Amino acid sequence: MKLKSLTVIMLLTVLLAACGNSGNEDAAPADNNEPEDIKTLVNDYSTGDYTDVQASITSEKLVVTDSDENETAYDLPDDEFFVSVAPFINQTHPCFDHSLTGCQGELVNKDIDVVIEDMDGNVIVDKTMTTPENGFLDFWLPRDETFRVQFSHDGKTVESELSTNEEDGTCVTDLQMT
């Protein structure tokens, strides 16, 4: 009986080990440290509750630093620019490169009416968005362009221009609604 049980356990071990083999050993790794879906990864860091990692985003890269100070950088799309905007009424902070896991905006869980147009008047975004726990609204916009933006909440509005060039910041915290 013990031999039969041992044989069954060994057989199950072999089967489970084989199930763990994905069959993708020959698949090429992603070039330039690009995860399969960078937008999902950025969103996860932006809306998650992380205490063991820090994630920030520049105009070109997502940079993730773990608790051991190991840093991993992921390239962003060549044709899209990430920008995170925290319109405010009373409180803000200076920022250039957005900390997905650290920046905190004033307006949390608030409905914000957003209109973003390119300089030719083409509407890119026209909808009401709810700010998550960090108070920021995230956008992926075409690179190397300038946009007119308008944010409105509770009878207060701010209008401005926003550009998506390589030298531009990814964190916009200077849009005060009045």
Side-chain angles (χ1 to χ4, degrees):
M1 185 78 162
K2 287 184 183 181
L3 183 58
K4 188 174 182 180
S5 295
L6 183 59
T7 303
V8 169
I9 290 172
M10 289 175 61
L11 181 60
L12 283 174
T13 302
V14 169
L15 286 173
L16 289 174
C19 288
N21 182 350
S22 67
N24 288 328
E25 293 79 24
D26 296 329
D31 293 334
N32 298 322
N33 267 344
E34 291 182 38
E36 217 170 279
D37 188 355
I38 189 73
K39 290 181 182 181
T40 299
L41 188 59
V42 168
N43 183 67
D44 289 348
Y45 283 118
S46 182
T47 59
D49 185 19
Y50 292 92
T51 57
D52 58 342
V53 296
Q54 295 176 355
S56 61
I57 191 163
T58 70
S59 64
E60 300 292 322
K61 296 192 180 295
L62 166 64
V63 180
V64 179
T65 307
D66 68 19
S67 59
D68 293 327
E69 300 298 319
N70 297 315
E71 190 174 280
T72 304
Y74 302 95
D75 292 335
L76 299 182
D78 291 333
D79 59 342
E80 291 180 289
F81 186 97
F82 175 86
V83 63
S84 195
V85 181
F88 73 101
I89 297 171
N90 297 309
Q91 296 178 330
T92 191
H93 66 277
C95 191
F96 187 78
D97 288 331
H98 185 55
S99 171
L100 296 167
T101 56
C103 281
Q104 181 62 52
E106 173 188 11
L107 302 175
V108 174
N109 297 320
K110 302 294 183 192
D111 290 336
I112 310 284
D113 295 321
V114 178
V115 178
I116 301 176
E117 297 178 348
D118 66 17
M119 297 311 281
D120 293 328
N122 298 309
V123 176
I124 308 299
V125 177
D126 184 0
K127 63 181 177 180
T128 300
M129 300 174 71
T130 303
T131 56
E133 292 297 318
N134 68 2
F136 280 81
L137 298 171
D138 296 343
F139 303 96
W140 288 93
L141 299 172
R143 283 188 180 272
D144 303 319
E145 292 189 33
T146 301
F147 300 90
R148 288 183 199 95
V149 298
Q150 178 180 325
F151 297 92
S152 301
H153 168 72
D154 201 23
K156 298 180 184 317
T157 300
V158 63
E159 295 180 11
S160 188
E161 287 187 359
L162 177 92
S163 58
T164 58
N165 300 304
E166 185 176 345
E167 66 276 1
D168 290 318
T170 58
C171 189
V172 178
T173 58
D174 61 353
L175 299 179
Q176 185 173 18
M177 293 189 285
T178 57

